[in-house]
Amino acid sequence: SVILITTRSNHVANNISGARFVLQGLNEHESQSLFQQICGSTLASTSANNKQDKEWEIVKDCGGVPRTIVVKATLMNQILHKEGGQIVDVERELLEQLKFIYYDDLPTYQKLCFAYCSLFPEDYLIDAERLIQL
């Protein structure tokens, strides 16, 4: 029998005995390649083209995480088709699309958690016990 534990925390990983495998993210070339396969565009980090620069920034922001690259490339592709190839405010469009993908499918009781969190100012350290009681 085997127990598989996944974590992003080095602290947690260091406290677990047994064999550990550390997964690394994709490098720049692999990230670009994956993005290109999905979005179908050519990226160049030194390009003067506004579209390519924005796409390159999106790939860099993914930090080599394949799932993030796939989601953002897919959404980018949808945005480009919807906007006729024009990239106006990519971040706003991506966040709007992600909201529809994740938030709208949440059950009502989970949506209420986000509503309570919105009561607090940005960068506010929320006390977990207080939030639970709310």
Side-chain angles (χ1 to χ4, degrees), residues 116 119-120 124-134:
Y116 281 119
L119 296 173
F120 298 95
Y124 182 81
L125 183 60
I126 300 172
D127 178 43
E129 288 301 318
R130 181 173 178 209
L131 186 61
I132 290 169
Q133 289 183 4
L134 287 173

Side-chain angles (χ1 to χ4, degrees), residues 6-123:
T6 61
T7 181
R8 291 184 182 187
S9 168
N10 287 332
H11 177 71
V12 171
N14 290 335
N15 289 324
I16 297 172
S17 62
R20 280 182 272 159
F21 299 98
V22 179
L23 301 176
Q24 300 296 322
L26 302 176
N27 64 32
E28 282 183 15
H29 177 71
E30 293 167 333
S31 297
Q32 282 182 333
S33 178
L34 179 58
F35 191 91
Q36 288 171 359
Q37 287 175 4
I38 297 165
C39 199
S41 62
T42 306
L43 296 178
S45 60
T46 58
S47 172
N49 185 314
N50 189 34
K51 177 181 170 186
Q52 289 178 335
D53 287 344
K54 287 188 179 192
E55 289 174 352
W56 174 245
E57 286 298 316
I58 291 169
V59 171
K60 283 189 348 186
D61 287 343
C62 292
V65 179
R67 180 69 180 146
T68 306
I69 295 169
V70 168
V71 168
K72 287 190 175 184
T74 303
L75 292 175
M76 180 81 164
N77 212 6
Q78 292 173 358
I79 291 167
L80 287 174
H81 286 356
K82 184 176 92 174
E83 301 294 330
Q86 298 294 319
I87 302 176
V88 181
D89 188 357
V90 176
E91 285 186 35
R92 184 183 61 78
E93 284 289 332
L94 285 174
L95 289 174
E96 190 68 25
Q97 291 289 333
L98 286 172
K99 175 190 168 276
F100 288 122
I101 291 171
Y102 297 106
Y103 181 78
D104 290 345
D105 291 337
L106 290 175
T108 304
Y109 72 92
Q110 288 181 339
K111 287 181 182 178
L112 289 174
C113 291
F114 285 102
Y116 281 119
C117 290
S118 70
L119 296 173
F120 298 95
E122 190 173 325
D123 295 332

